Amino acid sequence: MIKLRIIGTAFLCAAALAACKKNSKDTEPDTPPPTTPATGTRLQLSLDTLYLFAKETYLWYDAIPDYSTFNPRGYAGSDDLASLKNAMYKISQLKENPATQKPYEYYVPNPSRSKFSFVESGNLARGIKGAVDLEGSGNDMGFQAIPVTFANDPTPGKRYVYVAYVEKGSPADAAGLTRGCEITKMNGGNPPTDAGSLNTLINGSTLSLEFTKTNGTKATANLTKKTYTNDPVTAHKVIQGSGTNKIGYLNLMRFSRLSVADNSLDEAFAEFATAGVNNLVIDLRYNGGGYVETFEYLANLIIPNAMNGKVMYKEQFNTLLQEGKAPILKSLPLLDANYQQRYSNGKPLTYADVDFTLAGNVFYFAKKGTLDNVRKVVFIMTGSTASASELTINSLAAYPANIDVKTVGSKSYGKPVGFFGIGIDKFTVYMSQFTSTNALNKGDYFDGFTPDMAEQDLVTRDFGDPLESSLAKAINYINTGSTTGRLSDARIATANGNVVNASDLRMEPVESAGFNGMIEHRRRLKSE
């Protein structure tokens, strides 16, 4: 599936490149901006502009050398997008994290790309249309499958294909496909057991499937790619725990625009409140983030009334932005949530009007809903759990006296940073521009959160199945308070008749469902 990654406030920069280089009289920096050539090719001017924005707005701007040393025009090649990507990558690898002795943006799975910053082609003010976008629109067959092996399989090396997730409202959903189904045939033949070939078929226009459901029954489906309306709340249910424990389970695939997600979130939490739920399991295993406004909405549904008004999270920009010493912001128009120019008293606003101070970027809890007696919250996470999802966990974890927060699964992605998009010619650049912390000023999770309870992602069982390994361990903690107890092993009957242990499952990591990042469109102004 296509990955959509927009972090921060996305906007269209309509200003000419030359305007990006001009200084502003009312926001003079302590030192003059770099002197760049007045003329050049379109690509050279774009590379200069990227460099100038980084020198003033990049989170680790202090590591960027002077213009002559960095020589942005030296990255000009035959492909404009590749040239900008190469320059951005070089900038992203300059600042070393003393904790790891590697760059903050070093990406372990693929060191040739940045972990956070990136460049995309086109005007991304409204975002590239991925498989499912944050506006609730899907345009695919609506599922992801993954190759799986079992260490104790009677047929050594045998690879199976299981459905990792199904998008709600999609053609796959309508055809009865669910997470945990084993695909036995694709287009009449054996399914490919390498992820690349498998994804090629899944991302095609049509696909015929034969599959075995989680209850053992066999079924077929003929899928056709089409547009559909997606609900990010894939599943929610009430699970009876031991004694007086009532557990509300919620799977959220992404932090879609609030108007897309709020009704389903309200419905789920109203059911939880009516049922007397006093513990929660929030499943963010494939949630790569999305709108900060929606993360806040979820957090405010979870918290008890006693946390109302307390600090939720903070955003910290670089020193130049905080002190108003980034005159280049005059060239960036400030847009609203609908990507339209914002005005104040008839004056078009730019990012120079935004309050980037520490005090101006503190955000507070504001309780929503009637669920008020949650004692424990367990978050399910994987390496696809990123950005706004990690911000949710980090924000709630700052108040152990009010709510007990634990995590289960595998280490999260590690993205405590956010961006606002910079339009440069026909491209949009996203470079790290702020860090997020909780009320205790903790936010240095560049390596991801290590789970309190390590557990695999058991794709052979559907979301919300109490026997799914991560959910089972979460329930066990809620019931017993133990994070170390070993659970009884589940047995799985595969399509070829073999019976294997779930604990022996081996699979490639599941890609996050189409988005990785945070979008914040509610910037505060200096005058507010």
Side-chain angles (χ1 to χ4, degrees):
M1 293 188 176
I2 299 172
K3 279 191 174 181
L4 170 62
R5 305 181 302 271
I6 302 178
I7 307 181
T9 307
F11 66 92
L12 171 63
C13 180
L17 293 177
C20 294
K21 299 181 182 182
K22 292 179 181 178
N23 200 0
S24 169
K25 293 181 179 179
D26 57 353
T27 54
E28 289 285 349
D30 291 338
T31 57
T35 300
T36 60
T39 61
T41 67
R42 188 170 181 173
L43 176 57
Q44 287 174 333
L45 292 171
S46 293
L47 288 164
D48 284 354
T49 304
L50 185 151
Y51 171 82
L52 291 169
F53 271 110
K55 281 292 284 184
E56 293 187 15
T57 72
Y58 187 55
L59 187 60
W60 300 289
Y61 74 98
D62 58 328
I64 303 173
D66 62 75
Y67 180 85
S68 297
T69 302
F70 186 79
N71 186 22
R73 296 188 177 196
Y75 293 90
S78 59
D79 182 275
D80 290 4
L81 178 59
S83 300
L84 288 170
K85 284 184 174 182
N86 289 338
M88 187 67 252
Y89 172 77
K90 179 64 176 179
I91 290 171
S92 74
Q93 302 302 300
L94 292 172
K95 187 70 169 184
E96 183 179 285
N97 182 347
T100 62
Q101 297 185 327
K102 291 185 179 297
Y104 279 98
E105 296 216 42
Y106 184 83
Y107 187 50
V108 174
N110 184 3
S112 64
R113 56 157 280 198
S114 305
K115 187 173 184 181
F116 310 130
S117 300
F118 60 96
V119 183
E120 295 279 14
S121 181
N123 164 25
L124 298 188
R126 296 181 182 275
I128 292 175
K129 291 293 184 181
V132 176
D133 66 20
L134 295 179
E135 312 305 311
S137 299
N139 185 22
D140 61 357
M141 287 182 273
F143 77 103
Q144 181 60 277
I146 193 163
V148 167
T149 61
F150 294 92
N152 68 337
D153 197 320
T155 308
K158 171 71 175 178
R159 292 169 71 86
Y160 307 87
V161 174
Y162 280 89
V163 175
Y165 61 81
V166 174
E167 297 287 3
K168 199 169 181 179
S170 69
D173 183 27
L177 209 64
T178 68
R179 170 182 162 90
C181 289
E182 183 187 348
I183 297 176
T184 54
K185 296 287 183 182
M186 299 181 83
N187 291 338
N190 292 329
T193 54
D194 66 281
S197 300
L198 191 60
N199 286 334
T200 296
L201 288 178
I202 292 173
N203 290 326
S205 298
T206 60
L207 183 64
S208 66
L209 298 175
E210 295 180 23
F211 58 97
T212 302
K213 296 185 176 183
T214 54
N215 62 6
T217 60
K218 299 185 183 303
T220 62
N222 292 306
L223 305 179
T224 300
K225 173 184 175 180
K226 70 173 186 177
T227 60
Y228 57 92
T229 300
N230 173 259
D231 183 347
V233 179
T234 301
H236 70 273
K237 64 189 298 185
V238 176
I239 300 170
Q240 180 63 53
S242 63
T244 60
N245 288 319
K246 285 197 174 181
I247 303 165
Y249 169 84
L250 178 92
N251 177 277
L252 187 66
M253 288 293 286
R254 59 187 58 83
F255 287 96
S256 301
R257 183 181 286 274
L258 184 57
S259 59
V260 175
D262 58 355
N263 286 339
S264 292
L265 289 173
D266 287 341
E267 177 185 334
F269 277 82
E271 289 184 16
F272 293 163
T274 299
V277 161
N278 49 21
N279 301 277
L280 292 171
V281 178
I282 308 297
D283 193 340
L284 302 177
R285 75 182 75 199
Y286 302 146
N287 191 318
Y291 282 97
V292 173
E293 185 177 20
T294 307
F295 131 69
E296 290 181 4
Y297 198 87
L298 172 64
N300 285 324
L301 286 168
I302 293 172
I303 64 165
N305 285 321
M307 288 175 62
N308 195 51
K310 294 181 182 291
V311 173
M312 181 184 287
Y313 67 101
K314 308 172 186 179
E315 293 175 355
Q316 182 171 344
F317 295 83
N318 75 28
T319 302
L320 295 180
L321 290 173
Q322 290 182 42
E323 297 178 356
K325 297 176 180 177
I328 203 167
L329 293 178
K330 281 283 187 180
S331 67
L332 303 184
L334 184 63
L335 305 187
D336 61 19
N338 296 314
Y339 312 106
Q340 301 300 309
Q341 174 71 59
R342 287 180 61 179
Y343 292 86
S344 177
N345 298 321
K347 170 195 168 187
L349 298 173
T350 71
Y351 266 72
D353 297 302
V354 170
D355 184 354
F356 291 108
T357 64
L358 293 174
N361 288 278
V362 180
F363 304 86
Y364 301 87
F365 287 107
K367 174 62 183 173
K368 295 185 181 299
T370 58
L371 186 66
D372 186 38
N373 60 339
V374 173
R375 299 192 294 256
K376 297 177 180 177
V377 180
V378 181
F379 289 95
I380 299 176
M381 62 185 194
T382 66
S384 293
T385 305
S387 208
S389 288
E390 293 171 306
L391 184 57
T392 307
I393 298 168
N394 195 43
S395 298
L396 293 174
Y399 296 96
N402 298 104
I403 195 164
D404 176 13
V405 174
K406 290 290 186 290
T407 54
V408 61
S410 53
K411 183 180 287 188
S412 66
Y413 185 86
K415 184 175 287 189
V417 303
F419 316 164
F420 49 81
I422 298 170
I424 299 178
D425 194 18
K426 54 188 176 181
F427 306 103
T428 305
V429 177
Y430 300 94
M431 58 181 73
S432 303
Q433 284 156 323
F434 66 85
T435 59
S436 61
T437 62
N438 63 16
L440 302 178
N441 295 319
K442 293 182 177 180
D444 195 22
Y445 47 90
F446 290 95
D447 193 40
F449 290 124
T450 299
D452 298 302
M453 297 166 278
E455 192 52 70
Q456 65 183 334
D457 178 15
L458 187 57
V459 296
T460 59
R461 292 191 178 274
D462 200 0
F463 295 127
D465 185 338
L467 294 180
E468 191 277 319
S469 55
S470 294
L471 179 54
K473 190 160 280 190
I475 293 171
N476 182 66
Y477 172 72
I478 290 170
N479 286 336
T480 68
S482 172
T483 62
T484 59
R486 178 173 174 80
L487 305 179
S488 58
D489 203 4
R491 303 281 283 172
I492 298 170
T494 61
N496 67 357
N498 292 332
V499 178
V500 292
N501 293 329
S503 62
D504 290 314
L505 180 148
R506 304 290 184 268
M507 68 180 195
E508 300 177 29
V510 179
E511 293 286 352
S512 58
F515 184 87
N516 186 319
M518 292 186 287
I519 296 179
E520 176 56 273
H521 57 77
R522 301 162 301 154
R523 296 257 66 99
R524 295 171 177 170
L525 302 180
K526 294 175 181 177
S527 58
E528 294 177 342

